[in-house]
Amino acid sequence: MRADGVGQDARFGGIVDAELDSKGALYISEIKRDKTGGYYYSGYAVRSVGRDGTVKTLYADPFDEQRGASPSLYAATLAIDKRDQLFVTSLSQTHLLGKDGTATALPFGQGGQRIVTSAAGVSYRITYATISRIEADGSATVLAGAETVVTPAAGSDVAAPVDGPGSSARFKFIQPETVVLDPAGNLYLADSTMIRKVTPQGLVSTLAGTTDGSAARDGAGSGARFINPHSMAYQDGQLLVIDKDTLRRVSLDGVVTTTATSLPTARVLRADGQGTLFVIFPEHVATLGADGKLTVLAGKPNLSETSVDGIGAAARLRLPQYLTADPSGNLYAIEQQTVTYRSSGPAFN
């Protein structure tokens, strides 16, 4: 049951995302939790968490109490742009949320899954089939792709994505959570079992892989194969991809190599832009060195069913979902029902 309060007096439903603004203010989104402890997607709330642990609900879906009747059928994701504007995106709608809790629906249409912002401050709306640029007035202009069904290639029952500029390009199935940007503003994403690139001008190209996801294979361009690329980070001029349970490197000219690092339960990769790579597992957070060695930062693998405060391996994290950091370098692990403060190292973007 959701309840505002301070510290352990506050209650969360199911935390699904978190973001920090440039001043270090923390915001979380969560889905509703029913009385039996399960989850159902009948609405979401956006809440602020103060440095003293004070939790305040800024916005709750107006259909929150009507199980199954909400237009927000999936949990909301958050994004904060360079102007500290807070975007809340669900399957059915994107809102611009004021810090006073005022929600303004944006004319993005349905199907929004994620919003990302480049280093230059350009924000993009990601769906399963399109990349759109968010304009200054809040409207969205389709940069690449189209909300149409891809015609299967002759003699094949597999839809064939198409490289090219703007609306002539086609995506098979973008995985929004994999989208990353390089310093030049190019977007990289996993499209089914391919890694694809989208320039700021909307030119789409397939960097590596094909629609054949039957087995992993190293190689260049279409000679490489992926099975299930589900998380990605940009670091030191290359892409790092968790493909099923293995870490793979993809150069920006499309050469794929498999590392010796196995990440069987890893959920998320985050790079800080300073050479540190954070890896989130169900019960612990680790850093990955250049030599492929994992170093536990907090929590302990395959051990805890509850959260425990502490230092290093003495701490316990229960199902951490996301990492985020403030400008001072404090690291926050966002667990399923807990916002946990961890002073754990350098900040990351």
Side-chain angles (χ1 to χ4, degrees):
M1 181 66 68
R2 183 183 303 142
D4 289 349
V6 180
Q8 295 186 24
D9 290 333
R11 295 290 183 270
F12 296 99
I15 297 173
V16 294
D17 203 2
E19 285 290 347
L20 282 153
D21 66 16
S22 64
K23 300 178 180 63
L26 178 66
Y27 300 89
I28 64 101
S29 66
E30 61 178 332
I31 56 176
K32 188 173 175 60
R33 186 180 181 91
D34 66 23
K35 294 181 180 179
T36 63
Y39 298 97
Y40 55 86
Y41 302 111
S42 66
Y44 62 84
V46 178
R47 308 172 76 186
S48 63
V49 182
R51 293 301 183 89
D52 62 351
T54 299
V55 178
K56 178 182 178 182
T57 299
L58 297 179
Y59 175 82
D61 188 316
F63 291 83
D64 189 63
E65 299 303 324
Q66 299 182 27
R67 181 168 181 165
S70 171
S72 306
L73 297 179
Y74 290 88
T77 60
L78 302 179
I80 296 178
D81 67 10
K82 295 299 181 180
R83 292 177 290 174
D84 278 345
Q85 294 187 114
L86 178 61
F87 296 91
V88 186
T89 302
S90 67
L91 180 64
S92 59
Q93 186 67 64
T94 296
H95 288 85
L96 178 62
L97 187 63
K99 300 303 173 65
D100 60 354
T102 302
T104 303
L106 299 178
F108 293 167
Q110 295 188 351
Q113 293 300 308
R114 192 181 177 203
I115 293 176
V116 297
T117 303
S118 72
V122 180
S123 294
Y124 299 92
R125 170 181 174 263
I126 314 299
T127 74
Y128 295 124
T130 61
I131 307 291
S132 299
R133 183 179 60 247
I134 299 175
E135 309 295 353
D137 62 359
S139 63
T141 301
V142 175
L143 184 69
E147 299 286 357
T148 58
V149 177
V150 178
T151 303
S156 172
D157 60 356
V158 178
V162 178
D163 288 347
S167 60
S168 67
R170 293 292 185 272
F171 297 98
K172 180 176 173 63
F173 191 85
I174 296 173
Q175 299 186 57
E177 64 276 9
T178 66
V179 178
V180 296
L181 296 105
D182 67 15
N186 297 301
L187 297 94
Y188 300 89
L189 54 91
D191 180 21
S192 184
T193 52
M194 299 161 289
I195 306 301
R196 306 184 75 187
K197 174 183 177 180
V198 183
T199 69
Q201 295 74 38
L203 179 63
V204 179
S205 58
T206 301
L207 194 64
T210 70
T211 56
D212 177 12
S214 58
R217 181 199 305 169
D218 287 351
S222 60
R225 297 289 188 275
F226 295 89
I227 299 175
N228 178 27
H230 65 270
S231 189
M232 191 155 63
Y234 174 88
Q235 186 182 59
D236 299 331
Q238 64 181 342
L239 302 174
L240 299 175
V241 182
I242 299 180
D243 184 25
K244 191 177 179 180
D245 57 5
T246 302
L247 183 67
R248 308 182 73 187
R249 299 181 186 274
V250 183
S251 69
L252 297 190
D253 57 0
V255 177
V256 180
T257 55
T258 300
T259 73
T261 303
S262 178
L263 305 171
T265 59
R267 298 185 176 209
V268 178
L269 289 178
R270 285 289 186 95
D272 68 353
Q274 301 176 26
T276 302
L277 186 70
F278 296 89
V279 187
I280 301 179
F281 293 87
E283 294 180 323
H284 68 287
V285 177
T287 58
L288 183 63
D291 58 358
K293 181 181 178 181
L294 283 167
T295 301
V296 175
L297 188 65
K300 195 167 186 178
N302 306 317
L303 180 64
S304 179
E305 289 296 325
T306 60
S307 299
V308 178
D309 289 345
I311 299 175
R316 301 290 184 268
L317 302 180
R318 185 177 185 272
L319 298 177
Q321 301 290 306
Y322 297 91
L323 282 180
T324 192
D326 65 22
S328 299
N330 297 311
L331 181 66
Y332 295 81
I334 310 301
E335 300 175 55
Q336 189 68 53
Q337 297 183 65
T338 307
V339 179
T340 305
Y341 167 75
R342 308 291 188 197
S343 181
S344 306
F348 59 94
N349 296 319

